Amino acid sequence: MKHPLYNFSIYQGADEVVPFSFYTGSIDDKTPKDLSGCTFIMTLKQSHNKPVVDVLTSENNRIELDKTMGDDDKEHYNTLYLKFPNEVTTSFIFPSAIYDLFKIAADGTREILLQGTIEIEKSVSYG
C-alpha cells in the first residue's frame, strides 16, 4: 500500500472529534509536517461502488487545522481535527465506511494523507 492506512471507529449518535497529527521523517525522528495554507477534504463511502455518504472539508468546518507544540518547543500547524456531529453519526446505519483524506495545496496540488476504514459502533439509543 502506497498511502498511509489508518482504521478507526466512531459511535453512532455521538458528537465525535478525531484528531490526527502529521509528521515527516522516521518514527524516532518526527518532524511536524507543515499543513498551513492548505485545505482538506475527506470523503466517506460504504464501498468503492456505492454513493458518497459524507464529506468533511475545511470549507464546511468539519476539518479544522490546529497547531501543536513540537519537540523543538515551536508551534507547528500539523494537526487536523475531523468533526462528526451527532446529526451525521445518527444517520450512519451501516457497519463501516471507507474514506480517503486529501490535502489540497494553494497551487491545487492534491496529496493523499490517509485512507482506511471507519467502523460505526452501534448505539443503544440510535441503532
Side-chain angles (χ1 to χ4, degrees):
M1 174 154 293
K2 180 178 171 186
H3 308 289
L5 177 67
Y6 186 77
N7 301 326
F8 62 98
S9 63
I10 58 176
Y11 196 77
Q12 182 187 30
D15 289 303
E16 298 275 358
V17 177
V18 182
F20 288 103
S21 295
F22 293 90
Y23 298 89
T24 60
S26 69
I27 291 175
D28 298 327
D29 178 31
K30 294 191 298 187
T31 303
K33 183 175 183 130
D34 184 14
L35 300 174
S36 59
C38 299
T39 59
F40 306 92
I41 184 169
M42 178 185 212
T43 304
L44 282 70
K45 292 182 169 187
Q46 289 183 40
S47 66
H48 288 285
N49 59 352
K50 297 274 187 169
V52 172
V53 295
D54 195 16
V55 177
L56 294 76
T57 67
S58 312
E59 287 78 19
N60 69 12
N61 295 318
R62 303 253 324 268
I63 301 177
E64 183 179 308
L65 176 62
D66 201 5
K67 61 183 176 287
T68 57
M69 294 302 290
D71 291 339
D72 55 4
D73 291 329
K74 293 182 184 174
E75 293 179 348
H76 298 279
Y77 285 87
N78 69 317
T79 300
L80 295 179
Y81 291 94
L82 309 178
K83 300 175 183 178
F84 296 91
N86 67 33
E87 298 85 6
V88 173
T89 63
T90 300
S91 69
F92 287 173
I93 57 173
F94 39 86
S96 64
I98 57 173
Y99 76 91
D100 55 23
L101 172 64
F102 277 85
K103 172 188 91 164
I104 306 167
D107 67 0
T109 305
R110 292 175 171 248
E111 175 188 351
I112 188 164
L113 296 175
L114 283 178
Q115 64 183 20
T117 301
I118 303 171
E119 180 183 332
I120 312 302
E121 295 182 30
K122 287 293 183 190
S123 165
V124 173
S125 298
Y126 297 102

